[in-house]
mmCIF file of all heavy atoms in Angstrom:
data_model
loop_
_atom_site.group_PDB
_atom_site.id
_atom_site.type_symbol
_atom_site.label_atom_id
_atom_site.label_comp_id
_atom_site.label_asym_id
_atom_site.label_seq_id
_atom_site.Cartn_x
_atom_site.Cartn_y
_atom_site.Cartn_z
ATOM 1 N N GLU A 22 104.486 105.448 86.884
ATOM 2 C CA GLU A 22 103.436 105.739 86.048
ATOM 3 C C GLU A 22 102.069 106.015 86.830
ATOM 4 O O GLU A 22 101.836 105.388 87.758
ATOM 5 C CB GLU A 22 103.050 104.580 85.068
ATOM 6 C CG GLU A 22 104.227 104.251 84.075
ATOM 7 C CD GLU A 22 104.237 105.271 82.897
ATOM 8 O OE1 GLU A 22 103.276 106.010 82.705
ATOM 9 O OE2 GLU A 22 105.148 105.066 82.050
ATOM 10 N N LEU A 23 101.281 107.112 86.370
ATOM 11 C CA LEU A 23 100.193 107.446 87.039
ATOM 12 C C LEU A 23 98.941 106.932 86.154
ATOM 13 O O LEU A 23 98.880 107.155 85.019
ATOM 14 C CB LEU A 23 100.023 108.960 87.155
ATOM 15 C CG LEU A 23 98.668 109.548 87.589
ATOM 16 C CD1 LEU A 23 98.312 109.072 89.077
ATOM 17 C CD2 LEU A 23 98.621 111.099 87.412
ATOM 18 N N PHE A 24 97.941 106.231 86.812
ATOM 19 C CA PHE A 24 96.892 105.667 86.069
ATOM 20 C C PHE A 24 95.500 106.142 86.864
ATOM 21 O O PHE A 24 95.504 106.253 88.048
ATOM 22 C CB PHE A 24 96.862 104.087 86.007
ATOM 23 C CG PHE A 24 97.965 103.647 85.288
ATOM 24 C CD1 PHE A 24 99.184 103.199 85.991
ATOM 25 C CD2 PHE A 24 97.921 103.288 83.982
ATOM 26 C CE1 PHE A 24 100.276 102.763 85.140
ATOM 27 C CE2 PHE A 24 98.904 102.946 83.252
ATOM 28 C CZ PHE A 24 100.061 102.496 83.881
ATOM 29 N N ILE A 25 94.442 106.293 86.040
ATOM 30 C CA ILE A 25 93.217 106.671 86.551
ATOM 31 C C ILE A 25 92.208 105.514 86.050
ATOM 32 O O ILE A 25 92.394 104.984 84.938
ATOM 33 C CB ILE A 25 92.846 108.065 86.028
ATOM 34 C CG1 ILE A 25 91.467 108.512 86.846
ATOM 35 C CG2 ILE A 25 92.695 108.187 84.499
ATOM 36 C CD1 ILE A 25 91.299 110.006 86.538
ATOM 37 N N SER A 26 91.154 105.422 86.855
ATOM 38 C CA SER A 26 90.245 104.414 86.522
ATOM 39 C C SER A 26 89.437 104.718 85.196
ATOM 40 O O SER A 26 89.218 105.935 84.889
ATOM 41 C CB SER A 26 89.146 104.329 87.669
ATOM 42 O OG SER A 26 88.170 103.327 87.371
ATOM 43 N N PRO A 27 89.150 103.698 84.271
ATOM 44 C CA PRO A 27 89.322 102.247 84.683
ATOM 45 C C PRO A 27 90.686 101.712 84.340
ATOM 46 O O PRO A 27 91.265 101.925 83.189
ATOM 47 C CB PRO A 27 88.219 101.629 83.673
ATOM 48 C CG PRO A 27 88.183 102.692 82.381
ATOM 49 C CD PRO A 27 88.424 104.072 83.114
ATOM 50 N N PHE A 28 91.262 101.036 85.276
ATOM 51 C CA PHE A 28 92.595 100.395 85.268
ATOM 52 C C PHE A 28 92.513 99.286 86.332
ATOM 53 O O PHE A 28 92.436 99.767 87.460
ATOM 54 C CB PHE A 28 93.750 101.560 85.542
ATOM 55 C CG PHE A 28 95.067 100.944 85.431
ATOM 56 C CD1 PHE A 28 95.583 100.513 84.210
ATOM 57 C CD2 PHE A 28 95.761 100.661 86.603
ATOM 58 C CE1 PHE A 28 96.874 99.991 84.089
ATOM 59 C CE2 PHE A 28 96.986 100.150 86.512
ATOM 60 C CZ PHE A 28 97.539 99.842 85.393
ATOM 61 N N ALA A 29 92.820 98.116 85.977
ATOM 62 C CA ALA A 29 92.679 97.059 86.734
ATOM 63 C C ALA A 29 94.015 96.695 87.498
ATOM 64 O O ALA A 29 95.030 96.722 86.838
ATOM 65 C CB ALA A 29 92.177 95.768 86.018
ATOM 66 N N VAL A 30 93.878 96.453 88.796
ATOM 67 C CA VAL A 30 95.047 96.038 89.627
ATOM 68 C C VAL A 30 94.810 94.678 90.124
ATOM 69 O O VAL A 30 93.765 94.355 90.728
ATOM 70 C CB VAL A 30 95.227 96.936 90.849
ATOM 71 C CG1 VAL A 30 96.319 96.467 91.718
ATOM 72 C CG2 VAL A 30 95.598 98.418 90.348
ATOM 73 N N PHE A 31 95.632 93.643 89.599
ATOM 74 C CA PHE A 31 95.565 92.310 90.077
ATOM 75 C C PHE A 31 96.381 91.962 91.256
ATOM 76 O O PHE A 31 97.573 92.070 91.251
ATOM 77 C CB PHE A 31 96.008 91.390 88.937
ATOM 78 C CG PHE A 31 95.159 91.539 87.791
ATOM 79 C CD1 PHE A 31 95.366 92.584 86.848
ATOM 80 C CD2 PHE A 31 94.228 90.528 87.466
ATOM 81 C CE1 PHE A 31 94.481 92.681 85.627
ATOM 82 C CE2 PHE A 31 93.397 90.678 86.293
ATOM 83 C CZ PHE A 31 93.583 91.572 85.438
ATOM 84 N N LEU A 32 95.780 92.027 92.531
ATOM 85 C CA LEU A 32 96.564 91.873 93.730
ATOM 86 C C LEU A 32 96.961 90.557 93.875
ATOM 87 O O LEU A 32 96.140 89.525 94.066
ATOM 88 C CB LEU A 32 95.631 92.399 94.852
ATOM 89 C CG LEU A 32 95.346 93.938 94.919
ATOM 90 C CD1 LEU A 32 94.299 94.234 95.972
ATOM 91 C CD2 LEU A 32 96.596 94.781 95.076
ATOM 92 N N THR A 33 98.354 90.258 93.876
ATOM 93 C CA THR A 33 98.804 88.974 94.143
ATOM 94 C C THR A 33 100.147 88.894 94.743
ATOM 95 O O THR A 33 100.860 89.938 94.546
ATOM 96 C CB THR A 33 98.953 88.203 92.705
ATOM 97 O OG1 THR A 33 99.514 86.926 92.922
ATOM 98 C CG2 THR A 33 99.724 89.050 91.765
ATOM 99 N N HIS A 34 100.538 87.903 95.400
ATOM 100 C CA HIS A 34 101.892 87.736 95.980
ATOM 101 C C HIS A 34 102.813 87.058 94.979
ATOM 102 O O HIS A 34 104.029 87.079 95.175
ATOM 103 C CB HIS A 34 101.823 86.981 97.348
ATOM 104 C CG HIS A 34 101.100 87.801 98.404
ATOM 105 N ND1 HIS A 34 101.593 88.978 98.940
ATOM 106 C CD2 HIS A 34 100.047 87.332 99.112
ATOM 107 C CE1 HIS A 34 100.733 89.318 99.707
ATOM 108 N NE2 HIS A 34 99.872 88.452 100.022
ATOM 109 N N ASP A 35 102.334 86.420 93.931
ATOM 110 C CA ASP A 35 103.068 85.621 92.999
ATOM 111 C C ASP A 35 102.753 86.136 91.593
ATOM 112 O O ASP A 35 101.695 85.713 91.062
ATOM 113 C CB ASP A 35 102.772 84.137 93.143
ATOM 114 C CG ASP A 35 103.739 83.258 92.305
ATOM 115 O OD1 ASP A 35 104.292 83.793 91.332
ATOM 116 O OD2 ASP A 35 103.613 82.132 92.549
ATOM 117 N N ALA A 36 103.551 86.870 91.070
ATOM 118 C CA ALA A 36 103.314 87.461 89.744
ATOM 119 C C ALA A 36 103.202 86.415 88.599
ATOM 120 O O ALA A 36 102.430 86.720 87.665
ATOM 121 C CB ALA A 36 104.411 88.478 89.383
ATOM 122 N N ASP A 37 103.786 85.318 88.765
ATOM 123 C CA ASP A 37 103.597 84.287 87.831
ATOM 124 C C ASP A 37 102.306 83.512 87.794
ATOM 125 O O ASP A 37 101.920 82.826 86.894
ATOM 126 C CB ASP A 37 104.717 83.200 88.071
ATOM 127 C CG ASP A 37 106.140 83.688 87.699
ATOM 128 O OD1 ASP A 37 106.274 84.640 86.968
ATOM 129 O OD2 ASP A 37 107.116 83.251 88.425
ATOM 130 N N LYS A 38 101.486 83.802 88.885
ATOM 131 C CA LYS A 38 100.254 83.057 89.025
ATOM 132 C C LYS A 38 99.092 84.247 89.299
ATOM 133 O O LYS A 38 98.124 83.914 89.838
ATOM 134 C CB LYS A 38 100.205 82.173 90.245
ATOM 135 C CG LYS A 38 101.143 81.050 90.160
ATOM 136 C CD LYS A 38 101.109 80.078 91.411
ATOM 137 C CE LYS A 38 102.140 78.880 91.236
ATOM 138 N NZ LYS A 38 102.129 78.032 92.501
ATOM 139 N N TRP A 39 99.372 85.303 88.629
ATOM 140 C CA TRP A 39 98.367 86.437 88.717
ATOM 141 C C TRP A 39 96.958 86.142 88.271
ATOM 142 O O TRP A 39 95.977 86.644 88.741
ATOM 143 C CB TRP A 39 98.928 87.703 88.027
ATOM 144 C CG TRP A 39 99.022 87.664 86.614
ATOM 145 C CD1 TRP A 39 100.071 87.119 85.820
ATOM 146 C CD2 TRP A 39 97.970 88.065 85.585
ATOM 147 N NE1 TRP A 39 99.890 87.350 84.551
ATOM 148 C CE2 TRP A 39 98.569 87.722 84.394
ATOM 149 C CE3 TRP A 39 96.730 88.495 85.659
ATOM 150 C CZ2 TRP A 39 97.750 88.106 83.151
ATOM 151 C CZ3 TRP A 39 96.017 88.802 84.570
ATOM 152 C CH2 TRP A 39 96.551 88.610 83.336
ATOM 153 N N ARG A 40 96.791 85.158 87.322
ATOM 154 C CA ARG A 40 95.538 84.825 86.775
ATOM 155 C C ARG A 40 94.730 84.045 87.837
ATOM 156 O O ARG A 40 93.471 83.954 87.674
ATOM 157 C CB ARG A 40 95.654 84.004 85.460
ATOM 158 C CG ARG A 40 96.159 84.909 84.290
ATOM 159 C CD ARG A 40 96.315 84.057 83.079
ATOM 160 N NE ARG A 40 96.785 84.846 81.976
ATOM 161 C CZ ARG A 40 96.153 85.475 81.095
ATOM 162 N NH1 ARG A 40 94.728 85.448 81.165
ATOM 163 N NH2 ARG A 40 96.758 86.302 80.145
ATOM 164 N N GLU A 41 95.386 83.689 88.917
ATOM 165 C CA GLU A 41 94.708 82.838 89.923
ATOM 166 C C GLU A 41 94.190 83.721 91.078
ATOM 167 O O GLU A 41 93.454 83.135 91.917
ATOM 168 C CB GLU A 41 95.643 81.717 90.404
ATOM 169 C CG GLU A 41 96.179 80.739 89.390
ATOM 170 C CD GLU A 41 97.113 79.728 90.013
ATOM 171 O OE1 GLU A 41 97.323 79.618 91.140
ATOM 172 O OE2 GLU A 41 97.748 78.938 89.230
ATOM 173 N N THR A 42 94.516 84.958 91.028
ATOM 174 C CA THR A 42 94.121 85.743 92.127
ATOM 175 C C THR A 42 92.628 86.013 92.135
ATOM 176 O O THR A 42 92.038 86.054 91.139
ATOM 177 C CB THR A 42 94.815 87.223 92.106
ATOM 178 O OG1 THR A 42 94.416 88.004 93.394
ATOM 179 C CG2 THR A 42 94.475 87.940 90.876
ATOM 180 N N GLN A 43 92.009 86.074 93.312
ATOM 181 C CA GLN A 43 90.657 86.347 93.555
ATOM 182 C C GLN A 43 90.319 87.808 93.766
ATOM 183 O O GLN A 43 89.239 88.172 94.150
ATOM 184 C CB GLN A 43 89.966 85.363 94.615
ATOM 185 C CG GLN A 43 90.119 83.933 94.268
ATOM 186 C CD GLN A 43 89.417 83.129 95.242
ATOM 187 O OE1 GLN A 43 89.118 83.498 96.427
ATOM 188 N NE2 GLN A 43 89.152 81.855 94.959
ATOM 189 N N ASN A 44 91.338 88.610 93.673
ATOM 190 C CA ASN A 44 91.264 89.990 94.002
ATOM 191 C C ASN A 44 91.697 90.985 92.789
ATOM 192 O O ASN A 44 92.951 91.039 92.513
ATOM 193 C CB ASN A 44 92.088 90.490 95.110
ATOM 194 C CG ASN A 44 91.614 89.591 96.427
ATOM 195 O OD1 ASN A 44 90.491 89.810 96.846
ATOM 196 N ND2 ASN A 44 92.421 88.668 96.885
ATOM 197 N N VAL A 45 90.741 91.447 92.105
ATOM 198 C CA VAL A 45 90.971 92.488 90.893
ATOM 199 C C VAL A 45 90.287 93.765 91.281
ATOM 200 O O VAL A 45 88.927 93.728 91.274
ATOM 201 C CB VAL A 45 90.531 91.868 89.665
ATOM 202 C CG1 VAL A 45 90.937 92.726 88.511
ATOM 203 C CG2 VAL A 45 91.085 90.412 89.483
ATOM 204 N N VAL A 46 90.890 94.830 91.553
ATOM 205 C CA VAL A 46 90.248 96.040 91.933
ATOM 206 C C VAL A 46 90.580 97.129 90.863
ATOM 207 O O VAL A 46 91.385 97.055 90.083
ATOM 208 C CB VAL A 46 90.701 96.503 93.389
ATOM 209 C CG1 VAL A 46 90.271 95.520 94.379
ATOM 210 C CG2 VAL A 46 92.279 96.632 93.375
ATOM 211 N N GLN A 47 89.732 98.171 90.993
ATOM 212 C CA GLN A 47 89.778 99.287 89.949
ATOM 213 C C GLN A 47 89.851 100.613 90.744
ATOM 214 O O GLN A 47 88.986 101.310 90.963
ATOM 215 C CB GLN A 47 88.491 99.391 89.220
ATOM 216 C CG GLN A 47 88.315 98.225 88.239
ATOM 217 C CD GLN A 47 88.860 98.356 86.834
ATOM 218 O OE1 GLN A 47 89.367 99.601 86.491
ATOM 219 N NE2 GLN A 47 88.815 97.529 85.981
ATOM 220 N N PRO A 48 91.091 100.898 91.374
ATOM 221 C CA PRO A 48 91.176 102.103 92.138
ATOM 222 C C PRO A 48 91.000 103.426 91.311
ATOM 223 O O PRO A 48 91.196 103.271 90.030
ATOM 224 C CB PRO A 48 92.646 102.001 92.658
ATOM 225 C CG PRO A 48 93.417 101.211 91.707
ATOM 226 C CD PRO A 48 92.289 100.174 91.206
ATOM 227 N N ASP A 49 90.600 104.532 91.912
ATOM 228 C CA ASP A 49 90.324 105.589 91.163
ATOM 229 C C ASP A 49 91.693 106.233 90.646
ATOM 230 O O ASP A 49 91.694 106.600 89.425
ATOM 231 C CB ASP A 49 89.721 106.682 92.082
ATOM 232 C CG ASP A 49 88.283 106.311 92.395
ATOM 233 O OD1 ASP A 49 87.492 106.163 91.488
ATOM 234 O OD2 ASP A 49 87.831 106.363 93.617
ATOM 235 N N LEU A 50 92.695 106.104 91.313
ATOM 236 C CA LEU A 50 94.058 106.449 90.843
ATOM 237 C C LEU A 50 95.097 105.599 91.471
ATOM 238 O O LEU A 50 94.877 105.108 92.672
ATOM 239 C CB LEU A 50 94.406 107.919 91.150
ATOM 240 C CG LEU A 50 93.611 109.138 90.614
ATOM 241 C CD1 LEU A 50 92.509 109.609 91.515
ATOM 242 C CD2 LEU A 50 94.414 110.242 90.052
ATOM 243 N N CYS A 51 96.137 105.407 90.742
ATOM 244 C CA CYS A 51 97.243 104.630 91.424
ATOM 245 C C CYS A 51 98.517 104.985 90.699
ATOM 246 O O CYS A 51 98.560 105.407 89.495
ATOM 247 C CB CYS A 51 97.001 103.132 91.483
ATOM 248 S SG CYS A 51 96.997 102.300 89.778
ATOM 249 N N ILE A 52 99.671 104.876 91.392
ATOM 250 C CA ILE A 52 100.950 105.079 90.858
ATOM 251 C C ILE A 52 101.716 103.714 90.963
ATOM 252 O O ILE A 52 101.810 103.090 91.963
ATOM 253 C CB ILE A 52 101.689 106.067 91.698
ATOM 254 C CG1 ILE A 52 100.989 107.414 91.612
ATOM 255 C CG2 ILE A 52 103.074 106.290 91.225
ATOM 256 C CD1 ILE A 52 101.453 108.415 92.544
ATOM 257 N N VAL A 53 102.363 103.281 89.718
ATOM 258 C CA VAL A 53 103.065 102.093 89.632
ATOM 259 C C VAL A 53 104.488 102.509 89.246
ATOM 260 O O VAL A 53 104.778 103.113 88.293
ATOM 261 C CB VAL A 53 102.473 101.126 88.585
ATOM 262 C CG1 VAL A 53 103.228 99.860 88.565
ATOM 263 C CG2 VAL A 53 101.002 100.893 88.861
ATOM 264 N N CYS A 54 105.536 102.025 90.067
ATOM 265 C CA CYS A 54 106.864 102.481 89.782
ATOM 266 C C CYS A 54 107.729 101.252 89.173
ATOM 267 O O CYS A 54 108.865 101.478 88.791
ATOM 268 C CB CYS A 54 107.497 102.883 91.106
ATOM 269 S SG CYS A 54 106.775 104.411 91.762
ATOM 270 N N ASN A 55 107.244 100.062 89.243
ATOM 271 C CA ASN A 55 108.015 98.964 88.576
ATOM 272 C C ASN A 55 107.285 98.686 87.256
ATOM 273 O O ASN A 55 106.240 98.182 87.219
ATOM 274 C CB ASN A 55 107.807 97.839 89.578
ATOM 275 C CG ASN A 55 108.664 96.544 88.866
ATOM 276 O OD1 ASN A 55 108.986 96.533 87.802
ATOM 277 N ND2 ASN A 55 108.637 95.493 89.730
ATOM 278 N N SER A 56 107.952 99.060 86.156
ATOM 279 C CA SER A 56 107.479 98.823 84.893
ATOM 280 C C SER A 56 107.176 97.472 84.526
ATOM 281 O O SER A 56 106.167 97.150 83.742
ATOM 282 C CB SER A 56 108.470 99.339 83.759
ATOM 283 O OG SER A 56 109.637 98.652 83.851
ATOM 284 N N GLU A 57 107.701 96.444 85.133
ATOM 285 C CA GLU A 57 107.492 95.004 84.961
ATOM 286 C C GLU A 57 106.111 94.625 85.433
ATOM 287 O O GLU A 57 105.595 93.597 85.029
ATOM 288 C CB GLU A 57 108.528 94.118 85.513
ATOM 289 C CG GLU A 57 109.985 94.375 84.888
ATOM 290 C CD GLU A 57 110.933 93.420 85.498
ATOM 291 O OE1 GLU A 57 110.704 92.665 86.372
ATOM 292 O OE2 GLU A 57 112.149 93.421 84.946
ATOM 293 N N GLN A 58 105.507 95.420 86.268
ATOM 294 C CA GLN A 58 104.191 95.199 86.801
ATOM 295 C C GLN A 58 103.131 95.485 85.814
ATOM 296 O O GLN A 58 101.997 95.058 85.865
ATOM 297 C CB GLN A 58 103.904 95.873 88.014
ATOM 298 C CG GLN A 58 104.623 95.521 89.307
ATOM 299 C CD GLN A 58 104.350 96.278 90.460
ATOM 300 O OE1 GLN A 58 105.100 97.047 90.971
ATOM 301 N NE2 GLN A 58 103.105 96.022 90.978
ATOM 302 N N ILE A 59 103.397 96.323 84.742
ATOM 303 C CA ILE A 59 102.337 96.791 83.982
ATOM 304 C C ILE A 59 102.286 96.045 82.619
ATOM 305 O O ILE A 59 103.286 95.704 81.955
ATOM 306 C CB ILE A 59 102.710 98.368 83.458
ATOM 307 C CG1 ILE A 59 102.875 99.185 84.773
ATOM 308 C CG2 ILE A 59 101.607 98.934 82.503
ATOM 309 C CD1 ILE A 59 103.407 100.546 84.402
ATOM 310 N N THR A 60 100.965 95.613 82.394
ATOM 311 C CA THR A 60 100.818 94.723 81.232
ATOM 312 C C THR A 60 99.599 95.381 80.523
ATOM 313 O O THR A 60 98.971 96.248 80.989
ATOM 314 C CB THR A 60 100.430 93.248 81.590
ATOM 315 O OG1 THR A 60 98.991 93.248 82.121
ATOM 316 C CG2 THR A 60 101.441 92.662 82.514
ATOM 317 N N ARG A 61 99.213 94.725 79.477
ATOM 318 C CA ARG A 61 98.078 95.363 78.669
ATOM 319 C C ARG A 61 96.799 95.096 79.463
ATOM 320 O O ARG A 61 95.723 95.651 79.247
ATOM 321 C CB ARG A 61 97.933 94.596 77.307
ATOM 322 C CG ARG A 61 97.583 93.246 77.281
ATOM 323 C CD ARG A 61 97.471 92.589 75.849
ATOM 324 N NE ARG A 61 96.943 91.238 75.768
ATOM 325 C CZ ARG A 61 95.725 90.920 75.673
ATOM 326 N NH1 ARG A 61 94.861 91.884 75.594
ATOM 327 N NH2 ARG A 61 95.420 89.602 75.554
ATOM 328 N N HIS A 62 96.803 94.209 80.401
ATOM 329 C CA HIS A 62 95.656 93.883 81.263
ATOM 330 C C HIS A 62 95.542 94.840 82.423
ATOM 331 O O HIS A 62 94.546 94.998 83.035
ATOM 332 C CB HIS A 62 95.653 92.518 81.801
ATOM 333 C CG HIS A 62 95.757 91.409 80.789
ATOM 334 N ND1 HIS A 62 94.600 91.233 79.921
ATOM 335 C CD2 HIS A 62 96.654 90.533 80.353
ATOM 336 C CE1 HIS A 62 94.826 90.224 79.114
ATOM 337 N NE2 HIS A 62 96.034 89.741 79.363
ATOM 338 N N GLY A 63 96.597 95.396 82.844
ATOM 339 C CA GLY A 63 96.574 96.345 84.022
ATOM 340 C C GLY A 63 97.872 96.255 84.889
ATOM 341 O O GLY A 63 98.980 95.859 84.288
ATOM 342 N N CYS A 64 97.726 96.272 86.124
ATOM 343 C CA CYS A 64 98.945 96.224 87.067
ATOM 344 C C CYS A 64 98.931 94.806 87.745
ATOM 345 O O CYS A 64 97.892 94.498 88.396
ATOM 346 C CB CYS A 64 98.869 97.376 88.008
ATOM 347 S SG CYS A 64 100.118 97.249 89.356
ATOM 348 N N ILE A 65 100.073 94.139 87.682
ATOM 349 C CA ILE A 65 100.146 92.931 88.428
ATOM 350 C C ILE A 65 100.897 93.124 89.684
ATOM 351 O O ILE A 65 102.128 93.417 89.688
ATOM 352 C CB ILE A 65 100.983 91.884 87.554
ATOM 353 C CG1 ILE A 65 100.443 91.822 86.116
ATOM 354 C CG2 ILE A 65 101.021 90.448 88.274
ATOM 355 C CD1 ILE A 65 98.834 91.337 86.069
ATOM 356 N N GLY A 66 100.183 92.948 90.821
ATOM 357 C CA GLY A 66 100.819 93.307 92.095
ATOM 358 C C GLY A 66 100.448 94.532 92.715
ATOM 359 O O GLY A 66 99.671 95.323 91.987
ATOM 360 N N ALA A 67 101.052 94.960 93.767
ATOM 361 C CA ALA A 67 100.659 96.297 94.516
ATOM 362 C C ALA A 67 101.419 97.520 93.848
ATOM 363 O O ALA A 67 102.471 97.458 93.650
ATOM 364 C CB ALA A 67 100.985 96.114 95.972
ATOM 365 N N PRO A 68 100.539 98.477 93.697
ATOM 366 C CA PRO A 68 101.001 99.851 93.181
ATOM 367 C C PRO A 68 101.679 100.424 94.570
ATOM 368 O O PRO A 68 101.550 99.995 95.654
ATOM 369 C CB PRO A 68 99.756 100.550 92.931
ATOM 370 C CG PRO A 68 98.790 99.593 92.674
ATOM 371 C CD PRO A 68 99.045 98.503 93.494
ATOM 372 N N ALA A 69 102.645 101.539 94.123
ATOM 373 C CA ALA A 69 103.259 102.199 95.383
ATOM 374 C C ALA A 69 102.143 103.067 96.119
ATOM 375 O O ALA A 69 102.304 103.215 97.354
ATOM 376 C CB ALA A 69 104.340 102.944 94.688
#
């Protein structure tokens, strides 16, 4: 999936604890290939 800002990316090493991450970015564009990363809030973990 191709996304354009505004679209939040929650950078985390543990998808189960994504609400604890201190890093939430809004890249201009990003591509996400794992559908399980996509939620109504944005992308959980690193885009491709």
Side-chain angles (χ1 to χ4, degrees):
E22 297 281 352
L23 171 66
F24 294 95
I25 190 168
S26 181
F28 179 75
V30 173
F31 298 80
L32 294 171
T33 178
H34 294 299
D35 187 344
D37 292 330
K38 298 181 179 180
W39 66 272
R40 291 177 184 270
E41 298 178 11
T42 183
Q43 294 184 345
N44 299 296
V45 185
V46 294
Q47 295 264 355
D49 289 308
L50 297 99
C51 67
I52 297 168
V53 183
C54 292
N55 182 353
S56 61
E57 293 184 356
Q58 289 183 253
I59 303 171
T60 74
R61 71 183 184 91
H62 298 296
C64 173
I65 310 301

